[in-house]
């Protein structure tokens, strides 16, 4: 058992994780490696993912690590990765990669890139691999965010491409990811939604440089370290979530050991419309994922 999370051996289990090089990804991969999992690191920069892979194999010599290039802005790249992942059993797919305050543009799908990275690509990847993972007795673990409650879905501006506020664009995309997956699984086993609360990682370094230089040290003191924050995601690797359930820090969704709770942040009619949009998005891209 890792402190705060009931675990068991993952020997013989293949785990694919996006965002493995980021602030939460690295300690999460270390926990998984310590439990005996075989890792597939998904990253748009294959060379960048080899550095944490080398660190892990130095610490865990028996660890099996594979590298798979995936650019979440490029749906063709995501589809190609899904095809590769289907070639062997897959027991965990951890959707950890995310983008917050980045230059905005439209992707080839026609969607805003923040929406594409945080929702369209991970949803299509999970949708494509759901049956394969289920056949292996596995689970999809989606990383949500408290930012999902910063706004409500606007079905006249689905991807918030007209919105300038980063927190709203990011929160909207996470709202879509979380509630579309709840609808996809419908309470059946095979899904966990987790959120780390607030931790000092690259995704929180979105403030102007002068402000960030002032606040970064207090942030490190006030909020949980990535190695603690990622425990909610780790717990999701071992525990399903039902509809509208998520796993996160027990105190104000910010601090403490992981706790499961039920969300009341999205009305049923809005959730149903989000599910409709998600299936439309899948329909627009499904042909790319047929292999």
């Amino acid at each position: 058992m890792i402190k705060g999370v009931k675990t068991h051996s993952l020997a013989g289990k293949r785990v694919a994780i996006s965002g493995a090089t980021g602030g939460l990804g690295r300690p999460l991969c270390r926990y998984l490696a310590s439990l005996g999992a075989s890792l597939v690191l998904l990253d748009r920069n294959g060379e960048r993912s080899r550095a944490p892979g080398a660190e892990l194999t130095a610490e865990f010599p028996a660890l099996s690590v594979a590298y798979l290039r995936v650019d979440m802005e490029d749906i063709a790249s995501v589809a190609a990765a899904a095809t590769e992942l289907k070639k062997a059993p897959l027991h965990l797919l951890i959707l950890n990669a995310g983008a917050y305050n980045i230059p905005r543009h439209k992707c080839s799908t026609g969607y805003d890139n923040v929406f594409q990275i945080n929702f369209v690509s991970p949803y299509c990847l999970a949708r494509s691999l759901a049956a394969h993972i289920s056949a292996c007795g596995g689970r999809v673990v989606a990383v949500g965010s408290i930012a999902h409650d910063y706004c409500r879905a606007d079905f006249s501006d689905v991807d918030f491409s007209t919105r300038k506020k980063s927190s709203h664009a990011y929160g909207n995309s996470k709202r879509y990811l979380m509630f579309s997956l709840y609808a996809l699984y419908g309470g059946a086993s095979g899904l966990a939604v987790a959120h780390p609360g607030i931790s000092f990682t690259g995704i929180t370094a979105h403030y102007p440089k002068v402000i960030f230089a002032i606040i970064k040290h207090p942030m490190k003191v006030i909020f949980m370290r990535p190695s603690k924050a990622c425990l909610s995601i780790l717990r999701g690797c071992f525990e399903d979530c039902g509809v509208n359930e998520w796993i996160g820090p027990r105190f104000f969704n910010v601090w403490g050991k992981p706790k499961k709770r039920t969300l009341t942040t999205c009305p049923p009619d809005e959730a149903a419309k989000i599910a409709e949009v998600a299936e439309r998005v899948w329909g627009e891209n499904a042909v790319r994922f047929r292999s």
Side-chain angles (χ1 to χ4, degrees), residues 21 41 45-57 65-67:
T21 62
L41 307 186
N45 185 328
E47 291 303 313
R48 184 174 62 184
S49 64
R50 291 182 184 275
E55 292 173 5
L56 288 168
T57 52
V65 182
Y67 306 91

Side-chain angles (χ1 to χ4, degrees), residues 58-129:
E59 186 174 0
F60 306 100
L63 175 67
S64 171
V65 182
Y67 306 91
L68 186 57
R69 184 185 177 279
V70 184
D71 183 348
M72 289 294 191
E73 285 197 9
D74 179 5
I75 197 67
S77 169
V78 177
T83 297
E84 289 300 313
L85 289 170
K86 289 176 184 175
K87 292 180 178 178
L90 184 62
H91 303 93
L92 285 170
L93 172 64
I94 305 175
L95 303 171
N96 176 59
Y100 190 103
N101 187 25
I102 60 174
R104 307 275 293 280
H105 63 264
K106 290 285 187 178
C107 295
S108 62
T109 56
Y111 293 107
D112 179 88
N113 59 327
V114 170
F115 193 72
Q116 177 80 37
I117 292 167
N118 295 324
F119 165 64
V120 175
S121 289
Y123 180 78
C124 287
L125 186 61
R127 183 74 165 75
S128 172
L129 292 170

Side-chain angles (χ1 to χ4, degrees), residues 64-284:
S64 171
V65 182
Y67 306 91
L68 186 57
R69 184 185 177 279
V70 184
D71 183 348
M72 289 294 191
E73 285 197 9
D74 179 5
I75 197 67
S77 169
V78 177
T83 297
E84 289 300 313
L85 289 170
K86 289 176 184 175
K87 292 180 178 178
L90 184 62
H91 303 93
L92 285 170
L93 172 64
I94 305 175
L95 303 171
N96 176 59
Y100 190 103
N101 187 25
I102 60 174
R104 307 275 293 280
H105 63 264
K106 290 285 187 178
C107 295
S108 62
T109 56
Y111 293 107
D112 179 88
N113 59 327
V114 170
F115 193 72
Q116 177 80 37
I117 292 167
N118 295 324
F119 165 64
V120 175
S121 289
Y123 180 78
C124 287
L125 186 61
R127 183 74 165 75
S128 172
L129 292 170
H132 181 67
I133 295 170
S134 178
C136 299
R139 179 178 296 114
V140 170
V141 183
V143 178
S145 171
I146 55 177
H148 85 273
D149 197 28
Y150 292 174
C151 56
R152 298 295 178 265
D154 179 351
F155 299 104
S156 66
D157 183 21
V158 167
D159 60 355
F160 274 29
S161 59
T162 67
R163 314 296 173 92
K164 302 302 181 185
K165 198 167 185 179
S166 297
S167 59
H168 286 180
Y170 175 75
N172 178 63
S173 62
K174 285 295 187 180
R175 193 173 184 85
Y176 267 86
L177 179 63
M178 292 163 56
F179 289 94
S180 63
L181 288 174
Y182 288 136
L184 178 64
Y185 280 84
S189 62
L191 173 69
V193 176
H195 75 103
I198 301 174
S199 183
F200 186 77
T201 67
I203 209 165
T204 56
H206 58 271
Y207 299 97
K209 288 184 179 180
V210 173
I211 296 175
F212 184 65
I214 296 171
I215 67 173
K216 67 179 181 179
H217 295 297
M219 285 179 71
K220 289 181 180 180
V221 175
I222 295 170
F223 299 118
M224 291 191 297
R225 299 188 306 276
S227 59
K228 296 292 185 184
C230 75
L231 291 179
S232 295
I233 308 170
L234 182 65
R235 177 169 165 176
C237 294
F238 297 92
E239 186 174 346
D240 287 328
C241 289
V243 174
N244 294 352
E245 288 185 337
W246 74 346
I247 300 167
R250 66 180 59 235
F251 299 116
F252 309 106
N253 288 318
V254 175
W255 299 279
K257 295 178 181 178
K259 179 181 179 180
K260 183 186 287 186
R261 53 170 54 88
T262 300
L263 294 168
T264 59
T265 50
C266 186
D269 58 338
E270 182 186 353
K273 290 180 180 178
I274 285 174
E276 290 176 8
V277 171
E279 282 304 286
R280 186 177 76 226
V281 167
W282 169 247
E284 293 166 353

Side-chain angles (χ1 to χ4, degrees), residues 11-30:
K13 305 297 184 182
R14 183 169 173 249
V15 179
I17 175 172
S18 65
T21 62
L24 296 177
R26 285 200 177 202
L28 179 59
C29 285
R30 187 178 181 278

